[in-house]
Amino acid sequence: MSAVVRLKPRALGRLQVAKVTLAHGGGGKAMKDLIDDVFVSAFDNDLLAPLEDQARLDLAGLAAHGDRLAMTTDGYVVDPLFFPGGDIGKLAICGTVNDLAVGGAVPLYLSCAVVIEEGMAVEDLRAIARSMAETARAARVSIVTGDTKVVPRGACDKIFITTTGIGVIRKGVEIGAARARIGDVVLVNGRLGDHGAAILCARGDMALESPVESDCAALHGMIADLLAAVPGVRFLRDATRGGIATVLNELAAASEVAIEIDERATPIAEGVRGFCEILGLDPLYLANEGKIVIAVAPEDAEGALAALRAHPLGRDACAIGRVTAGEPGRVTMNTVFGGRRIVDMLVGEQLPRIC
């Protein structure tokens, strides 16, 4: 039985200005009005409504989902704030939901801390809060606590968001970077690099136009279907900053195995491939916000692909390579020209402020 106590609705404060000022971070009525008008009204749930310094979660309700608590946190500083396929608010919710889901957890609760630059348009702030609320509702998670700070003009770029998530790991699920075995098949759930390309286009300073949209999405539903079909999945990770190249290197290092992928089998949209050729970027290092790398035993590969392809976010899933007995920690790609190249860990920053 839930321990949540429903409170009598209170009157919410209202903002009467178009721009955020330092007073909105001062802890007084202006700050209360900002929090009420922008965040509380958008997020709207019984755990958040008391506005205590902490959310109070029912332990029995958590235990009903599994036997281990999972917790994660991430900061979002993407530029621009609004881009084809998403915005910083959607990104913040999806990113944290996905970080929980790739551990086999059921995402349940989120916190949200925002650092706002003085002078930010209130309408942009409302749009971001609405996007966060809509994405959280669709993902069936609740934003139950948070924090708001306002900093002087120039101290940050419009808004930075930090979300922390709590979920519960399903019983019997064991997923980890050290669990890959020789012979395992490496899968992805679709085309790679769309988020990085979308952000690149949205910045406008490259004078490029493209229909590419970010793949920003909450993947917990697809991952739940995958784990239901193949409980023995060895490894899952979302391929965000650093792209799949970074994820594969982390997997190879932690499991002390080699990984070999096939360029012909690696799905990349023609538009994304064209950007990379023009700008000298490697699509294997472009960020994704709706793609995961998966390692499964060979006998589970077909079942995993079938489960992924049955979900809208996994319909282009495919096998891109295998875990091999080569040099431990080494990732290589068989190229379309018949050669082989090393796919190393990303060195430096290919694109800053991508997520």
Side-chain angles (χ1 to χ4, degrees), residues 153-191:
R153 199 181 301 269
C156 79
D157 187 3
K158 294 181 276 297
I159 186 171
F160 296 159
I161 300 176
T162 299
T163 45
T164 298
I166 288 178
V168 178
I169 298 176
R170 305 161 190 269
K171 293 182 179 178
V173 172
E174 295 292 343
I175 298 168
R179 299 190 71 246
R181 299 292 180 266
I182 294 170
D184 283 356
V185 181
V186 178
L187 315 174
V188 294
N189 64 308
R191 295 184 305 187

Side-chain angles (χ1 to χ4, degrees), residues 102 173-189 222-223 226-227 229-239 244 247-261 291-305 308 317-324:
V102 294
V173 172
E174 295 292 343
I175 298 168
R179 299 190 71 246
R181 299 292 180 266
I182 294 170
D184 283 356
V185 181
V186 178
L187 315 174
V188 294
N189 64 308
M222 182 191 72
I223 291 173
L226 170 65
L227 294 177
V230 183
V233 167
R234 310 250 208 232
F235 171 81
L236 293 172
R237 186 161 297 176
D238 47 342
I244 67 162
V247 173
L248 292 173
N249 274 278
E250 291 171 347
L251 174 61
S255 293
E256 298 181 334
V257 295
I259 296 176
E260 185 177 308
I261 61 173
K291 298 300 183 304
I292 53 174
V293 177
I294 306 150
V296 296
E299 62 271 22
D300 288 333
E302 286 305 317
L305 284 172
L308 292 168
C318 59
I320 63 168
R322 283 186 176 275
V323 177
T324 72

Side-chain angles (χ1 to χ4, degrees), residues 86-134:
D87 55 71
I88 190 172
K90 180 179 179 181
L91 191 65
I93 301 301
C94 292
T96 299
V97 164
N98 292 343
D99 283 347
L100 291 169
V102 294
V106 179
L108 294 173
Y109 300 111
L110 302 181
S111 74
C112 165
V114 295
V115 178
I116 306 166
E117 183 187 23
E118 174 192 16
M120 182 176 181
V122 169
E123 192 48 46
D124 285 347
L125 196 56
R126 290 188 204 278
I128 290 167
R130 283 196 300 269
S131 179
M132 295 181 76
E134 290 166 3

Side-chain angles (χ1 to χ4, degrees), residues 23 39 56 75 112 168 183-184 194 215 233 249 262 282 294 301 316 348:
F39 297 112
R56 300 168 186 182
C112 165
V168 178
D184 283 356
D194 287 2
D215 59 344
V233 167
N249 274 278
D262 186 343
D282 188 335
I294 306 150
D316 295 322

Side-chain angles (χ1 to χ4, degrees), residues 7 10 12 32 35-36 40 47-54:
L7 302 177
R10 63 181 177 83
L12 297 179
K32 176 181 177 302
I35 293 172
D36 277 355
V40 175
L47 288 167
L48 176 65
L51 290 184
E52 298 283 359
D53 283 346
Q54 72 296 128

